[in-house]
Amino acid sequence: MPSLLTRLIHDAQTFLSALAEQNTKEYWDDHKKEYDEQLKVPALQLLDELSGPISREFGATVTTKLFRPHRDLRFSKDKTPYHTHLHMMWSASGEGPAKPGWFFGISPSYVTLGAGQRDFDKHAMEAWRGQVDRSSDEIASIMNGLTTNGYRISEPAFKRVPAPYSKDHPSEALLRRRGLTAWRDSDAGLTRDQMVQVFRELTPVVKTLSALRS
């Protein structure tokens, strides 16, 4: 009998492929029950099942989130109403300015796992740059270890080193970041144990960002 994860990946890719062909409110209304039963319910179950292993590895409680299927159309030229992916997140608890977490995404064309924070707000950005300026060795070591093990690291977003830091700062690539995420691409054969292992290997990224202080 297929596992919860195997069924979820298969059903999500099947449903989302069909939705991509008919991304309309009428199609969604006709198939919402299918979404709820085959995607939403098992996704929430997966979020709950992995909260324990992730919390134990992180050393603190995590909270879960299943991202809504409806797209925000207010500022988008693309007016298709629904996302053609299923994304979920386990967020790290903490009092620091950064709000990192672990990610899992399914679409018709990918199955991917990640961790970190895509975009820092003003306070997290200041804390990140301050930490990089003071000591970037630990961060660089974590990133180098992940790339050596086949993880994709997000690229720096800014072309120039931000003021007041020198353009020849020894950690200029880290200072040019807007966020920090690492990713592992997978496929429909992904297992729960493999997910836990990937999230375990990515936990140092989350801990590093959680430790940032203003």
Side-chain angles (χ1 to χ4, degrees):
M1 183 176 181
S3 67
L4 167 70
L5 180 59
T6 299
R7 292 197 307 272
L8 175 58
I9 293 173
H10 173 270
D11 291 346
Q13 291 187 323
T14 301
F15 179 89
L16 295 168
S17 293
L19 180 62
E21 294 292 327
Q22 303 183 68
N23 199 330
T24 65
K25 185 178 186 302
E26 291 74 20
Y27 183 87
W28 177 265
D29 289 344
D30 288 342
H31 294 83
K32 185 177 184 301
K33 183 178 179 181
E34 182 181 344
Y35 168 84
D36 288 341
E37 293 179 350
Q38 297 184 10
L39 279 69
K40 183 177 180 179
V41 169
L44 291 172
Q45 185 177 342
L46 181 66
L47 282 164
D48 184 62
E49 284 187 3
L50 292 188
S51 291
I54 293 172
S55 294
R56 287 191 292 273
E57 183 66 26
F58 179 59
T61 302
V62 298
T63 57
T64 64
K65 178 178 181 178
L66 176 63
F67 288 83
R68 64 196 302 269
H70 302 78
R71 298 182 62 247
D72 185 350
L73 306 180
R74 291 174 298 173
F75 308 107
S76 176
K77 293 182 180 180
D78 178 3
K79 298 303 180 182
T80 50
Y82 304 101
H83 291 295
T84 54
H85 58 244
L86 182 72
H87 285 180
M88 54 198 82
M89 178 179 182
W90 295 260
S91 296
S93 59
E95 299 179 355
K99 305 300 178 186
W102 299 258
F103 319 119
F104 181 48
I106 307 169
S107 86
S109 60
Y110 66 74
V111 176
T112 191
L113 304 97
Q117 183 170 344
R118 290 175 179 271
D119 294 294
F120 297 138
D121 64 17
K122 178 181 178 181
H123 299 296
M125 183 77 77
E126 291 174 352
W128 166 259
R129 290 173 178 170
Q131 181 61 31
V132 167
D133 187 42
R134 290 188 297 273
S135 174
S136 62
D137 291 347
E138 182 178 353
I139 299 171
S141 177
I142 291 170
M143 294 170 63
N144 290 337
L146 290 172
T147 54
T148 298
N149 288 324
Y151 285 89
R152 290 187 291 108
I153 306 294
S154 57
E155 294 293 328
F158 302 112
K159 293 183 178 180
R160 297 180 177 84
V161 177
Y165 305 102
S166 169
K167 65 179 180 180
D168 58 358
H169 191 285
S171 299
E172 57 86 20
L174 293 175
L175 290 171
R176 289 190 291 111
R177 289 188 165 279
R178 177 180 286 149
L180 176 64
T181 54
W183 301 91
R184 170 81 82 189
D185 297 320
S186 187
D187 54 35
L190 178 69
T191 68
R192 182 182 182 278
D193 288 345
Q194 289 170 337
M195 282 191 71
V196 172
Q197 179 61 29
V198 168
F199 286 159
R200 178 179 297 118
E201 293 174 357
L202 288 171
T203 294
V205 177
V206 179
K207 287 185 174 180
T208 295
L209 296 180
S210 297
L212 297 179
R213 293 294 180 266
S214 299

Coordinates of all heavy atoms in Angstrom, one line a residue, residues 70-137:
H70 N -5.1 29.9 -3.3 CA -5.5 31.1 -4.1 C -4.3 32.1 -4.2 O -3.6 32.4 -3.3 CB -6.6 31.8 -3.3 CG -7.8 31.0 -3.1 ND1 -7.9 30.0 -2.1 CD2 -9.0 30.9 -3.7 CE1 -9.0 29.4 -2.1 NE2 -9.7 29.9 -3.1
R71 N -4.1 32.6 -5.4 CA -3.1 33.5 -5.7 C -3.5 34.9 -5.3 O -4.7 35.3 -5.4 CB -2.7 33.5 -7.2 CG -2.1 32.2 -7.7 CD -1.7 32.2 -9.2 NE -0.7 33.2 -9.4 CZ -0.8 34.3 -10.1 NH1 -2.0 34.6 -10.6 NH2 0.2 35.2 -10.2
D72 N -2.6 35.8 -4.9 CA -2.8 37.2 -4.7 C -2.7 37.9 -6.0 O -1.6 38.1 -6.5 CB -1.8 37.7 -3.7 CG -2.1 39.2 -3.3 OD1 -3.0 39.8 -3.9 OD2 -1.5 39.7 -2.3
L73 N -3.8 38.4 -6.5 CA -3.8 39.0 -7.9 C -3.7 40.5 -7.9 O -3.7 41.1 -8.9 CB -5.1 38.6 -8.6 CG -5.4 37.1 -8.7 CD1 -6.7 36.9 -9.4 CD2 -4.3 36.3 -9.3
R74 N -3.6 41.1 -6.7 CA -3.7 42.6 -6.6 C -2.6 43.3 -7.4 O -2.9 44.3 -8.1 CB -3.6 43.0 -5.2 CG -4.8 42.6 -4.3 CD -4.6 43.0 -2.9 NE -3.4 42.2 -2.3 CZ -2.9 42.4 -1.1 NH1 -3.4 43.4 -0.3 NH2 -1.9 41.7 -0.7
F75 N -1.4 42.7 -7.4 CA -0.3 43.4 -8.1 C 0.3 42.5 -9.2 O 1.5 42.8 -9.6 CB 0.8 43.8 -7.1 CG 0.3 44.6 -5.9 CD1 0.2 44.0 -4.7 CD2 -0.2 45.9 -6.1 CE1 -0.3 44.7 -3.6 CE2 -0.7 46.6 -5.0 CZ -0.8 46.0 -3.7
S76 N -0.4 41.6 -9.7 CA 0.1 40.6 -10.7 C -0.6 40.8 -12.0 O -1.8 41.0 -12.1 CB -0.1 39.2 -10.2 OG 0.3 38.3 -11.2
K77 N 0.2 40.8 -13.1 CA -0.4 40.8 -14.4 C -1.0 39.5 -14.8 O -1.9 39.4 -15.6 CB 0.7 41.1 -15.5 CG 1.3 42.6 -15.3 CD 2.3 42.8 -16.4 CE 2.9 44.3 -16.3 NZ 3.9 44.5 -17.3
D78 N -0.5 38.4 -14.2 CA -1.1 37.1 -14.4 C -2.3 36.9 -13.5 O -2.2 36.9 -12.3 CB 0.0 36.0 -14.0 CG -0.5 34.6 -14.1 OD1 -1.7 34.4 -14.6 OD2 0.2 33.7 -13.8
K79 N -3.5 36.8 -14.1 CA -4.7 36.8 -13.3 C -5.3 35.4 -13.2 O -6.4 35.3 -12.8 CB -5.8 37.7 -14.1 CG -5.4 39.2 -14.1 CD -5.1 39.8 -12.8 CE -4.7 41.2 -12.8 NZ -4.4 41.8 -11.5
T80 N -4.5 34.4 -13.4 CA -5.0 33.0 -13.1 C -5.2 32.9 -11.6 O -4.3 33.3 -10.9 CB -4.0 31.9 -13.6 OG1 -2.7 32.2 -13.2 CG2 -4.0 31.9 -15.2
P81 N -6.3 32.4 -11.2 CA -6.6 32.5 -9.8 C -6.0 31.6 -8.8 O -6.0 31.9 -7.6 CB -8.1 32.3 -9.7 CG -8.4 31.5 -11.0 CD -7.4 31.9 -12.0
Y82 N -5.4 30.5 -9.3 CA -4.9 29.5 -8.3 C -3.4 29.1 -8.6 O -3.0 29.0 -9.7 CB -5.8 28.2 -8.4 CG -7.2 28.5 -8.1 CD1 -8.1 28.6 -9.2 CD2 -7.7 28.8 -6.8 CE1 -9.4 29.0 -9.0 CE2 -9.0 29.2 -6.6 CZ -9.9 29.2 -7.7 OH -11.2 29.6 -7.4
H83 N -2.7 28.8 -7.5 CA -1.3 28.3 -7.6 C -1.4 26.9 -8.2 O -2.3 26.1 -7.9 CB -0.7 28.2 -6.3 CG -0.3 29.6 -5.7 ND1 0.6 30.5 -6.3 CD2 -0.8 30.2 -4.6 CE1 0.6 31.6 -5.6 NE2 -0.2 31.4 -4.5
T84 N -0.4 26.5 -9.0 CA -0.3 25.2 -9.5 C 0.8 24.4 -8.8 O 1.6 23.7 -9.4 CB -0.1 25.2 -11.1 OG1 1.0 26.0 -11.4 CG2 -1.3 25.7 -11.8
H85 N 1.0 24.7 -7.5 CA 1.9 24.0 -6.7 C 1.3 23.9 -5.3 O 0.3 24.6 -5.0 CB 3.3 24.7 -6.6 CG 3.2 26.1 -6.1 ND1 3.5 27.2 -6.9 CD2 2.8 26.7 -4.9 CE1 3.3 28.3 -6.2 NE2 2.9 28.0 -5.0
L86 N 1.8 22.9 -4.5 CA 1.4 22.7 -3.2 C 2.6 23.0 -2.3 O 3.6 22.2 -2.4 CB 0.9 21.3 -3.0 CG 0.3 20.9 -1.6 CD1 -1.0 21.6 -1.4 CD2 0.2 19.4 -1.5
H87 N 2.6 24.0 -1.4 CA 3.7 24.3 -0.6 C 3.4 24.3 0.9 O 2.3 24.7 1.2 CB 4.2 25.7 -1.0 CG 5.0 25.8 -2.3 ND1 5.5 27.0 -2.8 CD2 5.3 24.8 -3.1 CE1 6.1 26.7 -3.9 NE2 6.0 25.4 -4.2
M88 N 4.3 23.8 1.7 CA 4.1 23.8 3.1 C 5.4 24.2 3.8 O 6.5 24.1 3.2 CB 3.6 22.4 3.5 CG 4.4 21.2 3.1 SD 3.6 19.6 3.2 CE 2.7 19.7 1.6
M89 N 5.2 24.5 5.1 CA 6.4 25.0 5.8 C 6.3 24.7 7.3 O 5.2 24.7 7.9 CB 6.4 26.6 5.7 CG 7.6 27.3 6.4 SD 7.5 29.0 6.1 CE 9.0 29.6 7.1
W90 N 7.4 24.4 7.9 CA 7.6 24.2 9.4 C 8.4 25.4 9.8 O 9.6 25.5 9.4 CB 8.3 22.9 9.7 CG 7.5 21.7 9.3 CD1 6.8 20.9 10.2 CD2 7.5 21.1 8.0 NE1 6.2 19.8 9.5 CE2 6.6 19.9 8.2 CE3 8.0 21.4 6.8 CZ2 6.4 19.1 7.1 CZ3 7.7 20.5 5.7 CH2 6.9 19.4 5.9
S91 N 7.9 26.3 10.6 CA 8.6 27.5 11.0 C 9.2 27.3 12.4 O 8.7 26.7 13.3 CB 7.6 28.7 11.1 OG 7.0 29.0 9.9
A92 N 10.5 27.9 12.5 CA 11.2 27.8 13.8 C 10.7 28.8 14.7 O 10.4 30.0 14.3 CB 12.7 28.0 13.5
S93 N 10.6 28.4 16.0 CA 10.2 29.4 17.0 C 11.4 30.2 17.5 O 12.5 29.7 17.3 CB 9.6 28.6 18.2 OG 10.5 27.7 18.7
G94 N 11.2 31.3 18.0 CA 12.3 32.1 18.5 C 12.0 33.6 18.6 O 11.0 34.0 18.0
E95 N 12.9 34.3 19.3 CA 12.6 35.7 19.5 C 13.4 36.6 18.6 O 13.4 37.9 18.7 CB 12.8 36.1 21.0 CG 11.9 35.3 21.9 CD 12.2 35.6 23.4 OE1 13.1 36.4 23.6 OE2 11.4 35.1 24.2
G96 N 14.3 36.1 17.8 CA 15.2 36.9 16.9 C 14.4 37.5 15.8 O 13.2 37.2 15.5
P97 N 15.0 38.4 15.0 CA 14.4 39.1 13.9 C 14.1 38.2 12.7 O 13.2 38.5 11.9 CB 15.3 40.2 13.6 CG 16.7 39.7 14.0 CD 16.4 38.9 15.3
A98 N 14.9 37.2 12.5 CA 14.7 36.3 11.4 C 13.6 35.3 11.7 O 13.4 34.9 12.8 CB 16.0 35.6 11.0
K99 N 13.0 34.8 10.6 CA 11.9 33.9 10.8 C 12.1 32.7 9.8 O 11.3 32.6 8.8 CB 10.5 34.6 10.5 CG 10.3 35.8 11.3 CD 10.2 35.5 12.8 CE 10.0 36.7 13.7 NZ 10.2 36.5 15.1
P100 N 13.1 31.9 10.0 CA 13.4 30.8 9.1 C 12.5 29.6 9.3 O 11.7 29.5 10.3 CB 14.8 30.5 9.4 CG 14.9 30.7 10.9 CD 14.0 31.9 11.2
G101 N 12.6 28.6 8.4 CA 11.9 27.4 8.5 C 12.3 26.4 7.5 O 13.3 26.6 6.7
W102 N 11.6 25.3 7.5 CA 11.9 24.2 6.5 C 10.7 24.1 5.5 O 9.6 24.3 5.9 CB 12.0 22.8 7.2 CG 13.0 22.7 8.3 CD1 14.2 22.1 8.2 CD2 13.0 23.2 9.6 NE1 15.0 22.2 9.3 CE2 14.2 22.9 10.2 CE3 12.1 24.0 10.3 CZ2 14.5 23.2 11.5 CZ3 12.4 24.3 11.7 CH2 13.6 23.9 12.2
F103 N 11.0 23.9 4.2 CA 10.0 23.9 3.2 C 9.8 22.6 2.5 O 10.8 21.8 2.3 CB 10.4 25.0 2.2 CG 10.9 26.3 2.7 CD1 12.2 26.7 2.4 CD2 10.2 27.0 3.6 CE1 12.7 27.8 2.9 CE2 10.7 28.2 4.1 CZ 12.0 28.6 3.8
F104 N 8.6 22.3 2.0 CA 8.4 21.2 1.1 C 7.4 21.7 0.0 O 6.4 22.3 0.3 CB 7.8 20.0 1.9 CG 7.6 18.8 1.0 CD1 8.5 18.3 0.1 CD2 6.3 18.1 1.1 CE1 8.3 17.2 -0.6 CE2 6.1 17.0 0.3 CZ 7.1 16.5 -0.5
G105 N 7.8 21.4 -1.2 CA 6.9 21.8 -2.4 C 6.7 20.7 -3.4 O 7.7 20.0 -3.7
I106 N 5.5 20.7 -3.9 CA 5.2 19.8 -5.0 C 4.5 20.5 -6.1 O 3.6 21.4 -5.9 CB 4.2 18.7 -4.5 CG1 4.7 18.0 -3.3 CG2 3.9 17.7 -5.6 CD1 3.7 17.1 -2.6
S107 N 4.9 20.3 -7.4 CA 4.3 20.8 -8.5 C 4.3 19.7 -9.6 O 4.9 18.7 -9.4 CB 5.0 22.1 -9.0 OG 6.0 21.8 -9.9
P108 N 3.7 20.0 -10.8 CA 3.8 19.0 -11.8 C 5.2 18.7 -12.3 O 5.5 17.7 -12.9 CB 2.9 19.6 -12.9 CG 1.9 20.4 -12.2 CD 2.7 21.0 -11.1
S109 N 6.1 19.7 -12.1 CA 7.4 19.6 -12.6 C 8.5 19.5 -11.5 O 9.7 19.3 -11.9 CB 7.8 20.8 -13.5 OG 7.7 22.0 -12.7
Y110 N 8.2 19.5 -10.3 CA 9.2 19.4 -9.2 C 8.7 18.8 -7.9 O 7.5 18.9 -7.6 CB 9.9 20.7 -9.0 CG 9.1 21.8 -8.3 CD1 8.7 21.8 -7.0 CD2 8.7 22.9 -9.1 CE1 7.9 22.8 -6.5 CE2 7.9 23.9 -8.6 CZ 7.5 23.9 -7.2 OH 6.8 24.9 -6.7
V111 N 9.6 18.2 -7.2 CA 9.4 17.9 -5.8 C 10.7 18.4 -5.1 O 11.8 18.0 -5.4 CB 9.3 16.4 -5.6 CG1 9.2 16.0 -4.1 CG2 8.1 15.8 -6.3
T112 N 10.5 19.3 -4.2 CA 11.7 19.9 -3.6 C 11.6 20.2 -2.1 O 10.5 20.4 -1.6 CB 12.0 21.3 -4.3 OG1 13.3 21.8 -4.0 CG2 11.0 22.3 -4.0
L113 N 12.7 20.2 -1.4 CA 12.8 20.4 0.0 C 13.8 21.5 0.2 O 14.8 21.6 -0.5 CB 13.2 19.2 0.8 CG 12.4 17.9 0.6 CD1 13.1 17.0 -0.4 CD2 12.2 17.2 1.9
G114 N 13.6 22.4 1.2 CA 14.5 23.5 1.5 C 14.4 23.9 2.9 O 13.6 23.4 3.7
A115 N 15.3 24.9 3.2 CA 15.2 25.5 4.5 C 15.9 26.9 4.5 O 16.7 27.2 3.6 CB 16.0 24.7 5.6
G116 N 15.6 27.8 5.4 CA 16.1 29.1 5.5 C 15.0 30.2 5.5 O 13.9 29.9 6.0
Q117 N 15.3 31.3 5.0 CA 14.4 32.4 4.8 C 14.6 33.1 3.5 O 15.7 33.5 3.2 CB 14.5 33.4 6.0 CG 13.5 34.5 6.0 CD 13.5 35.4 7.2 OE1 14.0 35.0 8.2 NE2 12.8 36.5 7.1
R118 N 13.6 33.2 2.7 CA 13.7 33.8 1.4 C 14.1 35.3 1.4 O 14.9 35.7 0.6 CB 12.4 33.6 0.6 CG 12.1 32.1 0.2 CD 10.8 32.0 -0.5 NE 10.4 30.7 -0.9 CZ 10.8 30.2 -2.1 NH1 11.4 30.9 -3.0 NH2 10.4 28.9 -2.4
D119 N 13.3 36.0 2.2 CA 13.5 37.5 2.2 C 13.6 38.0 3.6 O 12.6 37.8 4.4 CB 12.4 38.2 1.4 CG 12.4 37.9 0.0 OD1 13.3 38.3 -0.7 OD2 11.4 37.2 -0.5
F120 N 14.7 38.6 4.0 CA 14.8 39.3 5.3 C 14.0 40.6 5.3 O 14.0 41.3 4.3 CB 16.2 39.6 5.6 CG 17.1 38.4 5.7 CD1 18.4 38.4 5.1 CD2 16.8 37.2 6.3 CE1 19.3 37.3 5.2 CE2 17.6 36.1 6.4 CZ 18.9 36.2 5.9
D121 N 13.3 40.8 6.4 CA 12.8 42.2 6.6 C 13.9 43.1 7.1 O 15.1 42.7 7.2 CB 11.6 42.2 7.5 CG 11.9 41.8 9.0 OD1 13.1 41.8 9.3 OD2 11.0 41.5 9.7
K122 N 13.6 44.4 7.3 CA 14.6 45.3 7.7 C 15.5 44.9 8.9 O 16.7 45.0 8.9 CB 14.0 46.7 7.9 CG 15.0 47.8 8.3 CD 14.3 49.1 8.6 CE 15.3 50.2 9.1 NZ 14.6 51.5 9.4
H123 N 14.8 44.4 9.9 CA 15.5 44.1 11.2 C 16.3 42.8 11.0 O 17.5 42.8 11.5 CB 14.5 43.9 12.3 CG 13.7 45.2 12.6 ND1 14.3 46.3 13.1 CD2 12.4 45.4 12.5 CE1 13.4 47.2 13.3 NE2 12.2 46.7 12.9
A124 N 15.8 41.9 10.3 CA 16.6 40.6 10.0 C 17.8 40.9 9.1 O 18.9 40.4 9.3 CB 15.7 39.6 9.4
M125 N 17.6 41.8 8.1 CA 18.7 42.2 7.3 C 19.8 42.9 8.0 O 21.0 42.5 7.8 CB 18.2 43.2 6.2 CG 19.2 43.5 5.1 SD 19.5 42.2 4.0 CE 18.1 42.4 2.9
E126 N 19.5 43.8 8.9 CA 20.5 44.4 9.7 C 21.2 43.4 10.6 O 22.5 43.5 10.8 CB 19.9 45.5 10.6 CG 19.4 46.7 9.8 CD 18.6 47.7 10.6 OE1 18.4 47.4 11.8 OE2 18.3 48.8 10.1
A127 N 20.5 42.5 11.2 CA 21.1 41.5 12.1 C 22.0 40.5 11.3 O 23.1 40.2 11.7 CB 20.0 40.7 12.8
W128 N 21.6 40.2 10.1 CA 22.4 39.3 9.2 C 23.7 40.0 8.8 O 24.7 39.4 8.9 CB 21.6 39.0 7.9 CG 22.4 38.4 6.8 CD1 22.8 39.0 5.7 CD2 22.8 37.0 6.7 NE1 23.5 38.2 4.9 CE2 23.5 36.9 5.5 CE3 22.7 35.9 7.5 CZ2 24.1 35.8 5.0 CZ3 23.2 34.7 7.1 CH2 24.0 34.7 5.9
R129 N 23.6 41.2 8.4 CA 24.8 41.9 8.0 C 25.8 42.1 9.1 O 27.0 42.0 9.0 CB 24.4 43.2 7.3 CG 23.7 43.0 5.9 CD 23.2 44.3 5.4 NE 22.6 44.1 4.0 CZ 21.9 45.0 3.4 NH1 21.7 46.2 3.9 NH2 21.4 44.8 2.2
G130 N 25.2 42.4 10.3 CA 26.1 42.6 11.4 C 26.8 41.3 11.8 O 28.0 41.4 12.1
Q131 N 26.1 40.2 11.7 CA 26.7 38.9 12.1 C 27.8 38.6 11.0 O 28.9 38.1 11.4 CB 25.6 37.8 12.1 CG 26.2 36.4 12.5 CD 26.8 36.4 13.8 OE1 26.5 37.1 14.7 NE2 27.9 35.5 14.0
V132 N 27.5 38.8 9.8 CA 28.4 38.5 8.7 C 29.7 39.4 8.9 O 30.8 38.9 8.7 CB 27.8 38.8 7.3 CG1 28.9 38.8 6.2 CG2 26.8 37.7 7.0
D133 N 29.5 40.6 9.2 CA 30.6 41.5 9.4 C 31.5 41.1 10.6 O 32.7 41.2 10.5 CB 30.1 43.0 9.6 CG 31.2 44.0 9.6 OD1 32.2 43.9 8.7 OD2 31.2 44.9 10.4
R134 N 30.9 40.7 11.6 CA 31.6 40.3 12.8 C 32.3 38.9 12.6 O 33.5 38.8 13.0 CB 30.7 40.2 14.1 CG 30.2 41.5 14.5 CD 29.4 41.4 15.8 NE 28.2 40.5 15.7 CZ 27.0 41.0 15.4 NH1 26.9 42.3 15.1 NH2 26.0 40.2 15.3
S135 N 31.6 38.0 12.1 CA 32.2 36.6 12.0 C 31.3 35.8 11.0 O 30.2 35.4 11.3 CB 32.2 35.9 13.3 OG 32.6 34.6 13.2
S136 N 31.9 35.6 9.8 CA 31.2 34.8 8.8 C 31.7 33.4 8.6 O 31.2 32.7 7.8 CB 31.3 35.6 7.4 OG 32.7 35.6 7.0
D137 N 32.7 33.0 9.4 CA 33.4 31.7 9.2 C 32.4 30.6 9.3 O 32.4 29.6 8.5 CB 34.5 31.6 10.1 CG 35.7 32.5 9.8 OD1 35.7 33.1 8.7 OD2 36.6 32.6 10.6

